[in-house]
Amino acid sequence: MTEAKVLPGRTRLRVLRVASTGAFATLWLFVLGWIWAALGLPGADAFIGLFTTQLTTQLTDQSVGSVAALGIGSLCAFIVGGIFGVLIAHCYNLAGWVLGE
């Protein structure tokens, strides 16, 4: 038989781990959206507009699928994802502390 591992009563999220997860997840979503827009497929302009100042009126426009939009948008998506990861980890840890879990 195998032994069951008992988890400690209080679990805390590691802030750096959650921040890096959020940063890389948001980065990959942005890159996939950029590829989608560069192929001229509909529906990616709003997501790209969150992280770039490029004009996104037409998906076939060169500025949407440009390397500049990819570079600046990727950096912004990475930073914003990391910030939200930090906020989520701190909120989770604070809620556990307040609720006594």
Side-chain angles (χ1 to χ4, degrees), residues 7-99:
L7 294 175
R10 293 180 186 223
T11 56
R12 293 177 48 93
L13 290 178
R14 294 183 184 171
V15 176
L16 184 61
R17 180 178 286 179
V18 179
S20 62
T21 301
F24 283 111
T26 310
L27 172 66
W28 282 113
L29 283 174
F30 178 81
V31 170
L32 289 175
W34 180 85
I35 291 170
W36 190 268
L39 293 174
L41 300 172
D45 57 343
F47 188 71
I48 290 175
L50 289 173
F51 302 108
T52 63
T53 58
Q54 301 290 329
L55 296 174
T56 57
T57 56
Q58 297 179 10
L59 289 177
T60 57
D61 187 14
Q62 184 64 26
S63 64
V64 173
S66 69
V67 177
L70 176 64
I72 299 220
S74 294
L75 179 64
C76 291
F78 188 81
I79 291 170
V80 169
I83 290 170
F84 279 115
V86 167
L87 291 174
I88 289 170
H90 281 304
C91 289
Y92 178 87
N93 292 336
L94 181 64
W97 178 72
V98 169
L99 297 175

